[in-house]
Amino acid sequence: MSTLTPPKPDAATTAPTRVTLRGPVRVLLRVHRKALRAGAALLVTGIGIIVALRLWMASSTVLCADGDTTPCGDGIYVSSYAHTSTETFLTDGGAVLLLLAGLIGVFVAGPLIARELESGTFRLAWAQAVSPARWLAARLAVPAALTVTGLMVLVIVYRWGLWALRAGPNSPGLRWYAEGVFPGTGPAIIGYALLAVAVGALCAVVVRRTLLSMSLSALVLAAVGIGLGTRRYLLWPAVLRQGEGPELLRDSDWHLEGGMLTASGSKVYWQDCYHAGSVEGYDACMRDRGGVTPFAEVHPASHYWPLQLVETGILLALAALAVFAAFRVLRRLHG
């Protein structure tokens, strides 16, 4: 195992240098220029696909705003091939952006940091008046800046592509809260990207083995993504609606739970009456359990930004903790 203690420079030849990241950043960009070109190619490809889909759909023949090719309001829905193809590609656009953020974290964990620690090439930089802290700071700042810039462009283009589609009963995967859409339409994806960079750096300085660091980084990021995705509805208080009719549930609502309230205000959930098998059976079952007034727990469309901002805040806090831990570990290892 290689030591992380930097060689001591000759006191007679040591000259004071201004603390700057310009030199390490320039070296980093030159060494990993192939990865930068690959990332730029992915960015251009993603933008090109969305623009092509949007233009293709705009040129298709439709009669209704949701892509229907039949007379509007006739109860028959037949979408154009361009419209359905665009839906297929864009339904999971947010998940693709999450995957890209995770890949960046894996790259930071492996080729960017752990490989140098494993091979010992970090000594060359540390021998040239580059402190370990500046060395690590450059390897955090460069991917973070490039990733945030690239993903911001992709988010804007992705939202532009979604504007041409209408999320309705025939396209539930396009709704604002959908797993494949929500992460890629707001600032949360930036939080995921910064967390990926921070986690990758932490795993690299702790493990100092390329493949093991990459694997550990991927596992941590997957756990965070799955955990937040499955518990996203808890990040902001849901709205409780009571009564009957269209005001109880709207097309734009994220429906969480439903059932009936008893006279005392207790909740009886519909899932307790799944065995009933019909609408009339459900209603009778709920009444037998004391249900009086229908209710629904929902996240309305107005909760989009609170959910985005809370999730982003959690991700940024985790990223800050990971960065702090990475610098502490590096400082302890190099003595």
Side-chain angles (χ1 to χ4, degrees):
M1 180 181 296
S2 60
T3 179
L4 295 185
T5 303
K8 295 181 179 180
D10 187 356
T13 60
T14 301
T17 56
R18 185 165 56 95
V19 177
T20 176
L21 293 180
R22 184 177 304 173
V25 167
R26 189 184 303 114
V27 172
L28 197 64
L29 293 175
R30 184 166 62 250
V31 171
H32 296 282
R33 56 185 177 275
K34 290 184 179 180
L36 291 174
R37 292 169 184 166
L42 284 175
L43 177 64
V44 173
T45 300
I47 294 174
I49 289 174
I50 295 176
V51 171
L53 290 172
R54 178 74 183 262
L55 295 177
W56 181 28
M57 190 174 62
S59 64
S60 63
T61 302
V62 296
L63 298 178
C64 311
D66 59 356
D68 196 348
T69 62
T70 66
C72 302
D74 64 351
I76 300 175
Y77 178 82
V78 179
S79 182
S80 68
Y81 181 67
H83 194 279
T84 55
S85 298
T86 303
E87 283 186 7
T88 301
F89 279 101
L90 297 187
T91 294
D92 294 319
V96 171
L97 293 182
L98 275 181
L99 178 60
L100 289 176
L103 290 176
I104 292 165
V106 170
F107 175 78
V108 170
L112 198 64
I113 298 179
R115 180 179 295 173
E116 291 196 29
L117 296 176
E118 185 176 15
S119 63
T121 55
F122 65 93
R123 295 191 184 93
L124 178 61
W126 291 6
Q128 296 175 347
V130 176
S131 68
R134 288 171 57 199
W135 177 85
L136 181 58
R139 278 150 183 77
L140 285 169
V142 171
L146 295 177
T147 300
V148 168
T149 302
L151 285 179
M152 285 180 63
V153 173
L154 285 176
V155 166
I156 293 172
V157 176
Y158 181 51
R159 289 177 65 96
W160 175 74
L162 288 174
W163 285 342
L165 300 172
R166 297 293 185 271
N170 300 299
S171 54
L174 293 175
R175 292 174 180 171
W176 64 269
Y177 54 84
E179 286 290 334
V181 171
F182 183 88
T185 56
I189 191 63
I190 305 301
Y192 278 108
L194 294 176
L195 177 64
V197 173
V199 168
L202 177 60
C203 292
V205 298
V206 170
V207 178
R208 289 175 286 164
R209 293 293 181 268
T210 303
L211 293 179
L212 189 56
S213 298
M214 295 171 69
S215 301
L216 181 60
S217 178
L219 287 175
V220 172
L221 293 173
V224 173
I226 293 173
L228 282 177
T230 55
R231 293 292 183 266
R232 182 170 292 132
Y233 66 93
L234 297 175
L235 299 181
W236 195 257
V239 172
L240 176 65
R241 293 206 185 111
Q242 304 178 36
E244 298 185 20
E247 289 302 317
L248 185 64
L249 280 177
R250 302 164 187 168
D251 289 339
S252 61
D253 287 339
W254 181 3
H255 184 213
L256 305 178
E257 293 285 358
M260 287 186 124
L261 295 175
T262 65
S264 63
S266 300
K267 297 176 181 177
V268 182
Y269 294 99
W270 289 113
Q271 60 189 7
D272 299 329
C273 293
Y274 277 165
H275 61 277
S278 65
V279 176
E280 294 77 9
Y282 283 138
D283 188 68
C285 175
M286 299 297 285
R287 300 290 181 185
D288 291 340
R289 292 172 178 265
V292 176
T293 306
F295 80 90
E297 294 177 354
V298 302
H299 280 303
S302 59
H303 283 191
Y304 169 82
W305 281 111
L307 288 169
Q308 278 277 348
L309 295 176
V310 171
E311 186 166 344
T312 303
I314 293 173
L315 293 167
L316 293 179
L318 293 175
L321 288 175
V323 169
F324 175 77
F327 278 100
R328 287 296 299 269
V329 171
L330 188 67
R331 183 180 305 152
R332 178 177 59 84
L333 290 176
H334 80 72

